[in-house]
Amino acid sequence: MDVKLISDTLEDNDRLRALADGGIPADAKVIFRARNTVAISADGRACIKSYKVPGFIKGIIYGFFRTPKAERAFNNATRLLSLGFTTPEPYGAALCTSKGLLKQSYFVCRYFADWDDLRKIETLPEFPEIAKSLASFMFELHSKGVWMKDFSMGNVLYRSRGGAYEFCMIDINRMEFDVHDRSKLLRNFGAALDTVEGTRTLAREYAALASPTDPEPLAEEIVEIFVKHQAAIWRRRRFKDFIRRKK
């Protein structure tokens, strides 16, 4: 097994080497286990993400042609921080290959314990203030050409500091920079919130920044994007349920 370590310090290299050799430590606390596994180190300082081992074809693709997810997460975090956005500080990535094919891969970053995700924020009495701050955050992202493909309630964290709201992005391996196609950037509104009403509030705040002289058409366009995206999700779920029943 060949191992590639990506980090900025020798201390992080040691941590990554241990991951590559032994996997997630036994004393780490697993907080998510599905396709990928996420754990918190015993000292509570680091978040460890272990990506699913790709199948043979994807192993070839990630081994020879495409940057693996763990490496992309490290690179994207570094780029986001350089642009002034908040994301957990990346400690490094470890890529394990066999005969060139990607096998295990890990991404390690700082653990943000005092942040909440966007789920259920629409039920909070302070939602209008949060929506206004979130719209400003999204407008800044788009102004700097940052497109996070998985911009969703679980991947955007927030916290209140001195009456102001701060936002942070996680699960950032699917991201593009230098994007200035408006229709592409506006896709971020497809899953940012839960409801049409909440999205309309967010859309109006965003449109007031992006199109201050005539905000309403843009706000309605954003709501339509949300509705179409949610309808597509519903159709996919129905199709999957249909396939399950046929098996």
Side-chain angles (χ1 to χ4, degrees), residues 99-172:
K99 298 181 180 179
L101 277 66
L102 181 68
K103 298 298 183 180
Q104 290 82 14
S105 58
Y106 305 90
F107 171 61
V108 184
C109 64
R110 180 183 172 192
Y111 177 52
F112 274 15
D114 58 342
W115 295 70
D116 295 313
D117 62 39
L118 297 182
R119 295 183 181 97
K120 299 183 179 179
I121 64 165
E122 293 178 60
T123 65
L124 301 176
E126 61 270 27
F127 171 67
E129 290 78 18
I130 298 174
K132 185 173 184 178
S133 296
L134 178 59
S136 179
F137 170 71
M138 296 176 74
F139 179 70
E140 184 180 5
L141 273 181
H142 296 169
S143 296
K144 293 184 177 180
V146 180
W147 183 48
M148 181 179 177
K149 296 182 182 180
D150 294 324
F151 195 96
S152 63
M153 292 176 287
N155 292 339
V156 180
L157 310 182
Y158 80 101
R159 67 179 180 181
S160 176
R161 283 292 182 271
Y165 294 97
E166 301 174 352
F167 296 89
C168 162
M169 291 173 288
I170 60 174
D171 201 5
I172 56 173

Side-chain angles (χ1 to χ4, degrees), residues 5 9 14 33-34 37 52 54 60 72 85 112 122 150 154 163 201 213 223 245:
L5 305 180
T9 70
D14 291 340
R33 192 190 300 275
T37 300
K52 178 184 176 182
I60 293 174
R72 275 187 276 149
F85 296 109
F112 274 15
E122 293 178 60
D150 294 324
T201 298
T213 59
V223 172
R245 289 195 297 269

